[in-house]
Amino acid sequence: MARMPKEHLEARRRQILDAARRCFIRNGFHATSMQDVLAEAELSAGAVYRYFKSKDDIIAATAAEALAEVASAFEADDDARPPDLDNIVDLVLAVERPPLSGSQESAQLLVQVWSEALRSPSLCTALKEVMAEARGVVGGLVARHQQRGLLPADVPAEHVADVLMALVDGFLVRRAVYGHADSASFRNGMRALMSAPAQAAR
């Protein structure tokens, strides 16, 4: 049997994962059957099982890609000038980059990944690693702004980063469930909260 070129193998794997992603967004991980994936990809069972032994393998690959997209949104540039305060908000929300603020479907997939992490120890570990990296990047940016006097310095930077990340998690749930969460409005609200002067203690 002639050996298929690497490009063909990668394209076929991409075809399967794209089809599975559409199915997962439409029906969820566990309501999607392998027959659904086969039909969506327009491939035979043998063609799919050559790349993935089970639906769980496809779920794992899909989740890994989603987490890689999240991680890429938080890549740090230590040599660059610290971004303006507005851009820190943009970084946390990743306004122009899926899956953080892409379509409702992208948010739905990411929320499903979170849910899947509750039953999959390996996925839970991977998710924690990605979010720890993101927290470190955001915390570092917050600390640099504290040093410039743009944010209060009496609160640990990692605490501020945790709140920002939690707000974004909530935004993603709203977008996944309701579909009408607006990135620009959310960003403006976050900016207003971050810029509000601290009230003197009574």
Side-chain angles (χ1 to χ4, degrees):
M1 180 182 295
R3 187 170 182 176
M4 293 185 179
K6 181 180 178 180
E7 294 78 9
H8 176 84
L9 296 175
E10 291 177 350
R12 182 56 56 86
R13 185 177 187 275
R14 178 79 268 146
Q15 179 182 353
I16 296 167
L17 286 177
D18 287 346
R21 182 172 181 141
R22 292 192 295 271
C23 290
F24 293 150
I25 289 171
R26 187 164 60 240
N27 302 319
F29 284 149
H30 298 293
T32 295
S33 68
M34 281 299 288
Q35 288 301 319
D36 294 330
V37 175
L38 297 178
E40 186 75 22
E42 299 181 340
L43 293 172
S44 67
V48 172
Y49 284 115
R50 173 174 183 170
Y51 298 87
F52 301 99
K53 295 180 180 179
S54 67
K55 189 182 76 172
D56 281 347
D57 285 351
I58 298 178
I59 290 174
T62 300
E65 286 193 343
L67 294 183
E69 290 172 1
V70 172
S72 69
F74 290 97
E75 290 176 350
D77 186 352
D78 295 332
D79 297 328
R81 176 184 178 276
D84 294 334
L85 186 60
D86 292 357
N87 289 336
I88 284 187
V89 177
D90 286 346
L91 174 66
V92 176
L93 191 57
V95 172
E96 299 301 331
R97 287 178 259 182
L100 293 184
S101 67
S103 65
Q104 180 185 12
E105 290 79 12
S106 296
Q108 288 170 339
L109 182 64
L110 191 56
V111 169
Q112 287 189 66
V113 170
W114 294 341
S115 177
E116 184 67 13
L118 296 177
R119 80 172 192 93
S120 170
S122 60
L123 180 56
C124 183
T125 297
L127 179 59
K128 287 179 178 178
E129 291 174 352
V130 168
M131 298 317 294
E133 180 181 348
R135 179 176 179 264
V137 172
V138 176
L141 291 173
V142 170
R144 292 162 80 180
H145 277 266
Q146 288 175 326
Q147 293 166 5
R148 295 170 61 197
L150 298 175
L151 286 174
D154 59 342
V155 178
E158 58 268 23
H159 292 184
V160 179
D162 281 340
V163 171
L164 290 174
M165 301 293 287
L167 287 171
V168 173
D169 288 346
F171 171 84
L172 288 171
V173 172
R174 285 181 59 86
R175 170 157 283 184
V177 175
Y178 303 115
H180 56 69
D182 179 69
S183 300
S185 297
F186 184 76
R187 184 173 69 254
N188 289 339
M190 287 182 67
R191 184 182 304 124
L193 290 173
M194 293 174 67
S195 302
Q199 298 296 318
R202 294 184 178 179

